[in-house]
Amino acid sequence: MGKPEEAFVATRSLGVLVNGVTGRMGYRQHLVRSILAINEQGGVALSGGERVLLEPVLAGRSEERLREICRRHGLERWTTDLAGALRDPGVQVYFDAQVTTARVKAITQAIEAGKHVYTEKPVAETLEEAVELARLARRAGVRTGVVQDKLFLPGLLKLRRLVDGGFFGRILSVRGEFGYWVFEGDWQAAQRPSWNYRAEDGGGIALDMFCHWSYVLSTIFGRVEAVTARVATHVPERVDESGRAYRATADDAAYGIFELEGGVVAQINSSWCVRVNRDELVEFQVDGTEGSAVAGLRGCRVQHRAMTPKPVWNPDLPVTHSFRDDWREVPDNEEFDNGFKVQWEMFVRAVVEGTPYPHDLLAGARGVQLAECGLRSSAQGRRVELPEIVL
């Protein structure tokens, strides 16, 4: 006897062209931990009970590396012909994890081919290019999404829960510290690709990280209205993957003050030239009239107004009070899945069900805008306001 009718779950497939899969992020976070993980769990669950399985087509420039990835994971479809793959009616979604300098051209091709677009950030090197992509997508009527992974970190999810619950009272300020020491490549191999430190190849920590801070700040605390920034290239020479010395032309540290709507002031340091003396590689401290919190990648600690100690400045006596002991951990209260995978599921639902997706190319353009304004602020030594982007 067969299984009851309700035991079967209808499934459909969605063709996804994954460009840049041979890179670290494209392979590890997006192919292995997102696309393949989604299929292993039975697909993306839709609101009507159906599930969507993803059919990846791997794209890149190296035939050898693409073949190896397919062999490793039992995949069949790969291509070095991007234009040809975009003509395939079986591909509905184009995903881009290439270097920034190659992104605009490829996304433009995908939009013109009528494909929905999901992409890593920055979406472009300039605001003008980013806005034009958003306009093209709107005219073409395709869904777009930009990876905004920091929003899905357990620590920041807990922080947002505190904001939504009114824990802070009136929020006064946000202070962020991000980064670590990236080795120069001479006596120890660098942990990041060398193109990150060449402006001509789309490198620079301001372009990279200010795009992140744009969506973190605007989503959790309020829209960024103005920025005052200072960028620097602290390490002027590095050694690339082939052992050749090269001049670092991109900034490796960016120090920003961001003015948010409602009067909140955020200060965030981003640096590849800092040695870590904190609990996690990124930490945000939020101070409000009723309480404070410190959130990292996974953890979040709080101190309520009623539990705040009363420090007294006296440099003549040793400090005997342990201020860290006055903070309490925020409980998980839920299971946290991989943030990249969660975003893939959200975007697939938006594409298949035809619903809006909040983190679109316009949101990506706002990130580029903040980076561009931050670089302008540093170059001109002044505060720069951010106008609303109109498509």
Side-chain angles (χ1 to χ4, degrees), residues 372-384:
E372 199 170 271
C373 288
L375 290 168
R376 187 186 312 150
S377 170
S378 180
Q380 299 176 358
R382 66 179 182 91
R383 172 180 176 272
V384 175

Side-chain angles (χ1 to χ4, degrees), residues 215-229:
Y215 67 73
V216 168
L217 293 172
S218 62
T219 302
I220 302 178
F221 305 105
R223 190 179 74 85
V224 182
E225 296 181 333
V227 59
T228 304

Side-chain angles (χ1 to χ4, degrees), residues 90-336:
V91 169
Q92 291 90 40
V93 173
Y94 170 76
F95 173 70
D96 195 295
Q98 301 181 95
V99 294
T100 307
T101 51
R103 190 159 291 145
V104 171
K105 180 180 178 181
I107 290 178
T108 300
Q109 288 180 272
I111 292 173
E112 291 174 345
K115 309 301 181 184
H116 303 290
V117 172
Y118 188 48
T119 179
E120 267 289 352
K121 34 77 32 214
V123 297
E125 292 183 276
T126 69
L127 176 60
E128 182 180 3
E129 291 175 317
V131 171
E132 182 57 27
L133 286 179
R135 286 174 179 153
L136 283 173
R138 176 170 291 187
R139 288 197 293 265
V142 297
R143 289 281 183 279
T144 65
V146 179
V147 176
Q148 304 200 335
D149 55 289
K150 301 292 185 292
L151 290 178
F152 300 89
L153 293 171
L156 290 191
L157 288 171
K158 295 173 187 178
L159 185 60
R160 188 171 183 181
R161 187 197 308 161
L162 293 171
V163 173
D164 292 344
F167 170 81
F168 297 102
R170 181 168 62 89
I171 296 176
L172 308 175
S173 64
V174 180
R175 188 173 74 249
E177 291 284 345
F178 169 82
Y180 46 91
W181 189 270
V182 175
F183 284 97
E184 299 88 333
D186 47 3
W187 69 290
Q188 288 198 54
Q191 312 95 294
R192 293 179 61 81
S194 59
W195 70 263
N196 283 275
Y197 305 95
R198 292 190 293 266
E200 59 272 22
D201 292 332
I205 198 168
L207 180 60
D208 185 358
M209 298 312 302
F210 277 29
C211 291
H212 283 296
W213 307 149
S214 173
Y215 67 73
V216 168
L217 293 172
S218 62
T219 302
I220 302 178
F221 305 105
R223 190 179 74 85
V224 182
E225 296 181 333
V227 59
T228 304
R230 179 72 173 92
V231 304
T233 304
H234 290 310
V235 178
E237 186 174 279
R238 293 177 178 270
V239 176
D240 67 16
E241 293 80 359
S242 301
R244 294 189 297 265
Y246 68 94
R247 189 169 68 90
T249 54
D251 46 282
D252 53 24
Y255 310 94
I257 300 175
F258 309 95
E259 301 171 36
L260 314 184
E261 59 184 336
V264 178
V265 177
Q267 306 171 70
I268 305 179
N269 295 331
S270 312
S271 178
W272 302 131
C273 307
V274 60
R275 294 178 176 87
V276 180
N277 183 19
R278 52 186 180 272
D279 292 335
E280 302 199 60
L281 296 184
V282 62
E283 283 189 348
F284 293 92
Q285 177 162 335
V286 181
D287 292 299
T289 54
E290 298 297 319
S292 298
V294 176
L297 293 169
R298 304 199 64 83
C300 183
R301 305 185 305 277
V302 294
Q303 184 176 103
H304 189 262
R305 177 185 184 188
M307 301 302 293
T308 302
K310 196 174 189 179
V312 176
W313 173 257
N314 188 346
D316 298 323
L317 294 176
V319 177
T320 58
H321 183 83
S322 176
F323 291 102
R324 284 184 179 271
D325 291 341
D326 295 319
W327 297 72
R328 295 292 177 264
E329 285 287 337
V330 175
D332 288 353
N333 287 357
E334 62 179 300
E335 291 187 12
F336 300 106

